[in-house]
Amino acid sequence: MPTLILVRHGRSTANTEGVLAGWTPGVVLDERGAQQAAALPARLAALPISEVVTSPLERCQETIRPLLQARPALTAHTEERIGECHYGDWSGRKLAELGGEPLMEVVQAHPSAAAFPGGESMRAMQTRAAEAVREWNARVERDHGADAVYLMCSHGDIIKSLVADALGLHLDLFQRISVDPCSITAIRYTRLRPFLVRLGDTGDFASLAPREEPPAADATVGGGAGAP
């Protein structure tokens, strides 16, 4: 099955203002975020990306724009299910202010029980995103083969929940995962299990390209020798 490259959007105006953006319109990349997006094509240059899928939110669309400009053969598919969590009444509020809400303690320590007022639960967020990935895995494999690499540009909580899903972690542990703006996470899916092969990485990604011999479905005892 394919390798999924998960890109968190670049740093946004909401990130620098300490605001929980959610689906609030008008949240765009700040100057640093635009620089991060501009660097993305070079960081991914070694990868034969077959499809690009993105959240509908503007900060994700902006993040992948330089990549699409560098690879005119690619077009972006908008996927609502990898859009940001629907934070409901919390959207647009300062994180410092939300820290005093009783629900924030639940979000941090027991997120599987957390549902945002006027929004969605974190369980629902993870379920829709994981379903989207599995459907895209099947589509990409059908259209491009089992060794294909494709990219999704999404949001911090979405990516963290997908990493937890890939690792078989309960959602209550997903707050232990961190992904910085414009960081890259890679999950290689197989018939029996996913493998997390990069997490929040900002380095060299050439080793994620398909190899002449496909990787084994089982984990390497002892950890393996790494990329050739």
Side-chain angles (χ1 to χ4, degrees):
M1 296 179 70
T3 295
L4 170 60
I5 307 299
L6 287 162
V7 178
R8 185 184 172 195
H9 62 78
R11 197 176 73 179
S12 73
T13 52
N15 295 145
T16 51
E17 293 168 4
V19 169
L20 186 65
W23 287 68
T24 304
V27 176
V28 297
L29 300 183
D30 68 6
E31 183 178 355
R32 173 61 179 153
Q35 293 171 350
Q36 292 170 332
L40 198 58
R43 293 169 62 196
L44 296 171
L47 295 185
I49 297 171
S50 59
E51 299 281 2
V52 173
V53 185
T54 181
S55 158
L57 295 175
E58 190 171 357
R59 52 197 182 273
C60 288
Q61 304 273 345
E62 286 185 315
T63 297
I64 62 165
R65 193 169 296 146
L67 178 65
L68 296 174
Q69 291 170 346
R71 303 195 191 198
L74 288 175
T75 57
H77 305 275
T78 299
E79 173 57 76
E80 293 274 341
R81 292 174 294 177
I82 63 167
E84 181 62 284
C85 185
H86 291 277
Y87 296 116
D89 298 343
W90 281 25
S91 298
R93 293 178 62 186
K94 290 280 189 179
L95 289 166
E97 171 191 330
L98 291 170
E101 295 278 357
L103 178 60
M104 182 59 84
E105 187 177 13
V106 182
V107 169
Q108 292 297 324
H110 191 18
S112 66
F116 296 98
E120 70 179 332
S121 70
M122 303 200 89
R123 295 189 315 278
M125 174 200 74
Q126 183 186 44
T127 297
R128 64 172 164 87
E131 287 178 349
V133 165
R134 281 161 175 78
E135 289 178 19
W136 275 98
N137 282 348
R139 176 173 172 175
V140 169
E141 181 171 5
R142 180 197 68 205
D143 294 344
H144 302 284
D147 290 332
V149 177
Y150 76 107
L151 181 147
M152 281 186 168
C153 185
S154 188
H155 306 267
D157 279 350
I158 296 288
I159 294 172
K160 288 162 55 180
S161 74
L162 290 171
V163 170
D165 174 77
L167 292 175
L169 292 178
H170 196 283
L171 184 61
D172 285 345
L173 300 178
F174 101 126
Q175 297 291 27
R176 302 182 184 191
I177 299 165
S178 177
V179 289
D180 289 336
C182 224
S183 63
I184 295 176
T185 294
I187 301 171
R188 179 172 288 127
Y189 288 86
T190 74
R191 186 175 66 86
L192 297 180
R193 63 177 65 85
F195 291 89
L196 178 66
V197 292
R198 292 288 192 281
L199 176 61
D201 205 325
T202 56
D204 174 24
F205 302 98
S207 65
L208 297 180
R211 304 178 189 176
E212 292 183 5
E213 295 184 6
D218 288 336
T220 305
V221 176

